[in-house]
Amino acid sequence: MSQRVNGVIARAKGAPVEVATIVVPDPGPGEAVVRVQACGVCHTDLHYREGGINDDFPFLLGHEAAGIVEQVGAGVTDVAPGDFVVLNWRAVCGDCRACRRGRPWYCFATHNATQKMTLTDGTVLSPALGIGAFVEKTLVHAGQCTKVDPAARPAAVGLLGCGVMAGIGAAINTGGVTRGDSVAVIGCGGVGDGAIAGAALAGATTIIAIDTDERKLEWARRFGATHTVDAGSADVVEAVRALTGGNGADVVVEAVGRPETYRQGFYARDLAGTLVLVGVPTPEMTIELPLLDVFGRGGALKSSWYGDCLPTRDFPMLTELYRQGRLDLDAFVSEEIRLEQVEEAFAKMHTGGVLRSVVIF
């Protein structure tokens, strides 16, 4: 039988979110019901509320979550009731052209639950990134459940479900940062700090954090930045060159998603260096660069979607590094809040006062 639980929805573009009763059906074939324990408040959820993703209102928000599998449907063998899981929005199909080529992190046919969660009047909800986890229990495809060490703190490892993984993956998976590299990260919010933490894990010796907010630069130092640059008062390109022997960084991660910062990243990298765009631009943004510079500087210009992660590979590994004290996921959790405080958490995003607010159930 279906269950009725509390969850946060966005009814209309720009309207404040509200707590509503959500009807969660029993899992069908290939599906699972997860009792959510913690869910981070991500900028993507705010983009949904603002109509920046699409207009399939009402949305059931939340996607950066960890919890306990409560029920599974027919044919599910990889997870079972009682498993502690981090939810992911890249449940790979195993059969598309990317998966068949051995590159499942590019899967072009990822899975979501077939059944729909609804309001009590039958209104169908659109779950954010196919998850919808600002809710006491959610219905997902079983492939969206990645088992990790149950001893880990849900509020911390749940952040691997989106922003932190996007940053770590941008540095390691997409950027290919390795020992001895110099790395510059433009934008030191949750994703940028994830990139800094990833660069430190990979053995980068020079890690330059760039932002206009001194609070964020201080956070970046905690995650492994060896140098900081105040972009409001310094020439970013010249500052990065000065800190890298006049050459520029081996890898630059742009975690803002704006043309001006992308251009800075392009010129702040060394010859044959790599620029990784993980910040999300808006549809109207464009970039213009001299084609001769694109040719003459060489290297690689890459975009990173979800940190090019493979959840079954990356989530357990990063959780273990967290358990060993080598990856400080707790430092990303600025505050723990209730469902009723999600709208307040969105307001705090505009002031830059938090890395992550995390809803605790």
Side-chain angles (χ1 to χ4, degrees):
M1 296 179 63
S2 61
Q3 303 182 64
R4 296 192 175 198
V5 296
N6 292 321
V8 170
I9 66 168
R11 287 191 185 271
K13 181 177 179 179
V17 300
E18 60 185 270
V19 177
T21 300
I22 312 299
V23 179
V24 182
D26 284 343
E31 296 175 340
V33 169
V34 175
R35 176 169 54 83
V36 180
Q37 294 179 303
C39 184
V41 182
C42 176
H43 273 85
T44 302
D45 295 305
L46 181 57
H47 289 327
Y48 272 104
R49 194 202 72 173
E50 295 300 306
I53 306 295
N54 57 54
D55 59 357
D56 293 335
F57 291 93
F59 292 110
L60 175 59
L61 300 180
H63 59 277
E64 200 176 65
I68 304 295
V69 176
E70 187 174 85
Q71 297 174 272
V72 297
V76 175
T77 58
D78 289 340
V79 294
D83 285 342
F84 177 58
V85 297
V86 175
L87 299 182
N88 74 78
W89 43 274
R90 296 287 290 160
V92 301
C93 73
D95 194 47
C96 71
R97 60 192 185 281
C99 289
R100 290 197 303 269
R101 291 171 181 170
R103 292 176 282 186
W105 48 89
Y106 294 137
C107 179
F108 302 121
T110 53
H111 293 303
N112 294 126
T114 300
Q115 298 183 90
K116 301 296 184 182
M117 292 177 279
T118 68
L119 297 176
T120 54
D121 63 3
T123 300
V124 172
L125 295 168
S126 299
L129 291 175
I131 293 177
F134 286 157
V135 65
E136 293 164 330
K137 297 178 184 180
T138 190
L139 176 76
V140 295
H141 189 279
Q144 294 179 278
C145 302
T146 305
K147 289 191 292 186
V148 299
D149 188 336
R153 177 188 173 201
V157 295
L159 302 184
L160 294 174
C162 189
V164 173
M165 183 70 252
I168 292 175
I172 297 177
N173 297 336
T174 313
V177 175
T178 189
R179 57 189 182 277
D181 277 351
S182 57
V183 179
V185 177
I186 304 175
C188 299
V191 174
D193 282 341
I196 289 167
L201 279 173
T205 51
T206 300
I207 304 174
I208 305 164
I210 303 161
D211 206 289
T212 58
D213 188 331
E214 178 55 39
R215 292 172 300 176
K216 292 184 177 181
L217 294 176
E218 185 57 41
W219 293 338
R221 295 183 187 101
R222 178 171 180 178
F223 292 107
T226 59
H227 304 79
T228 59
V229 173
D230 182 348
S233 59
D235 183 307
V236 169
V237 175
E238 291 304 316
V240 172
R241 288 178 179 168
L243 292 168
T244 54
N247 300 317
D250 296 309
V251 179
V252 178
V253 177
E254 200 281 290
V256 180
R258 295 192 59 84
E260 57 268 33
T261 46
Y262 186 86
R263 187 180 182 88
Q264 289 172 340
F266 178 84
Y267 287 107
R269 65 198 173 105
D270 197 356
L271 293 174
T274 298
L275 172 59
V276 177
L277 174 65
V278 67
V280 182
T282 53
E284 76 281 358
M285 291 180 179
T286 61
I287 182 74
E288 182 175 328
L289 291 166
L291 191 58
L292 184 60
D293 285 356
V294 176
F295 172 77
R297 296 185 65 82
L301 308 179
K302 298 183 174 183
S303 58
S304 184
W305 201 54
Y306 206 6
D308 288 339
C309 80
L310 184 61
T312 53
R313 175 195 65 195
D314 294 337
F315 289 7
M317 177 267 292
L318 293 171
T319 298
E320 181 58 24
L321 290 174
Y322 164 66
R323 293 275 296 140
Q324 293 174 5
R326 297 165 62 190
L327 175 60
D328 189 2
L329 294 177
D330 290 317
F332 287 93
V333 182
S334 301
E335 62 175 0
E336 296 183 355
I337 64 173
R338 304 183 307 277
L339 268 179
E340 295 80 7
Q341 295 174 290
V342 168
E343 186 65 31
E344 296 173 30
F346 285 152
K348 291 177 182 178
M349 286 182 179
H350 295 298
T351 67
V354 295
L355 270 178
R356 272 297 186 272
S357 302
V358 180
V359 177
I360 301 298
F361 295 86

